[in-house]
Amino acid sequence: MVLSGPSGCGKSTLSRLLMRRHRGIVQSVSVTTRPPRPGERDGRDYHFITPREFQRLIRRGRLAEWARVHGCAYGTPRRPLEAALKAGQTVLLDIDIQGGAAIKRQFPDAVLIFVMVPSLSVLKARLRQRGQDSPSVIQRRLKAARRELRAIPRYEYLLLNDHLPQALRRLEAILEAERCRVARKRVILHKGVLG
Ligand code: ADP
Ligand code: 5GP
């Protein structure tokens, strides 16, 4: 499950709540050259690495996708993603729109979800309230938001994060519906019901 959307729309909050309520869902931990925010832990929120280390990972083919976002480099480590999928886990990826497109190309079963806020002024308020980015960083992210919204037609679900508990219910509904898809039940149909 890919969650994309403007910075501050609530992707990390929703991912955290979903994982707390459902076992078997894991989060892909990205690598980034962005410095950690207060309270962020290396290995949990991101693997914080240098631009040199990042280049090395690209060269060695260790990233399933990578992109420059808001002036820093971010990437999805390939091995943990493939291992989790092989083990039958649901993997949550909080990645930008370029990353979403790259993942969908390589993993056509991926579910693309765009998280939205009611308005850009609400987004601004959330970024300020989070209190972890400087005013110039917030400005840059708000400007990027307008561009990111243009990717919505390429996504499969639009999840409005207005009231948090309701947004979480919507995300759970998508998860349930996707798990019920006949295409994902091939094994059960052949070996179970029909076998
Ligand atoms: P993202 O990961 O998309 O950048 P965050 O999950 O960090 O966004 O959320 C940004 C801020 O908005 C955080 O302070 C978070 O607590 C708050 N937030 C998230 N969802 C809601 C919501 N539905 N209503 C109000 N505040 C929210
Ligand atoms: P933040 O700095 O707020 O944690 O993340 C900034 C943006 O980078 C967000 O849109 C987030 O989804 C995106 N991002 C985080 N990790 C990755 C990644 O591994 N790949 C890509 N393409 N984008 C990422």
Side-chain angles (χ1 to χ4, degrees):
M1 287 175 94
V2 171
L3 291 184
S4 300
S7 182
C9 67
K11 301 178 295 293
S12 333
T13 307
L14 285 166
S15 305
R16 212 167 28 243
L17 292 172
L18 190 71
M19 282 190 301
R20 208 181 288 166
R21 287 166 62 110
H22 299 265
R23 298 205 175 275
I25 301 184
V26 293
Q27 191 155 26
S28 162
V29 180
S30 296
V31 290
T32 183
T33 59
R34 157 168 92 58
R37 295 188 182 121
E40 281 185 332
R41 217 171 58 212
D42 188 39
R44 183 193 63 184
D45 301 289
Y46 280 106
H47 300 288
F48 295 98
I49 61 174
T50 63
R52 217 188 144 100
E53 288 169 319
F54 199 95
Q55 286 305 321
R56 201 165 51 219
L57 292 179
I58 295 175
R59 274 202 310 275
R60 294 187 175 170
R62 298 283 165 84
L63 301 179
E65 63 76 34
W66 69 274
R68 285 200 76 78
V69 193
H70 313 313
C72 296
Y74 295 81
T76 303
R78 184 184 294 281
R79 276 193 196 152
L81 173 62
E82 290 180 348
L85 292 176
K86 206 169 160 197
Q89 290 176 308
T90 297
V91 186
L92 274 181
L93 296 103
D94 170 345
I95 58 177
D96 88 318
I97 52 176
Q98 309 165 75
I103 289 293
K104 187 72 183 176
R105 277 196 298 273
Q106 296 174 65
F107 304 91
D109 271 359
V111 181
L112 299 185
I113 305 168
F114 196 96
V115 183
M116 258 304 281
V117 275
S119 68
L120 285 177
S121 54
V122 169
L123 188 63
K124 191 172 181 176
R126 287 199 192 155
L127 283 170
R128 285 191 175 152
Q129 169 218 320
R130 185 163 72 187
Q132 288 176 335
D133 299 301
S134 67
S136 65
V137 167
I138 290 180
Q139 253 342 92
R140 182 172 190 160
R141 287 176 176 231
L142 283 171
K143 223 169 126 189
R146 295 174 191 278
R147 206 172 46 240
E148 287 161 338
L149 298 187
R150 291 196 214 119
I152 291 175
R154 297 199 295 273
Y155 273 67
E156 290 154 333
Y157 291 95
L158 184 60
L159 195 161
L160 180 66
N161 178 17
D162 41 3
H163 180 55
L164 189 56
Q166 205 170 347
L168 181 62
R169 277 199 295 278
R170 288 185 186 121
L171 186 55
E172 288 177 317
I174 295 170
L175 179 69
E176 279 305 307
E178 285 295 333
R179 284 178 170 172
C180 289
R181 270 188 191 275
V182 169
R184 292 191 204 281
K185 303 272 183 221
R186 229 166 294 151
V187 175
I188 298 173
L189 285 175
H190 289 304
K191 294 196 181 148
V193 183
L194 302 180

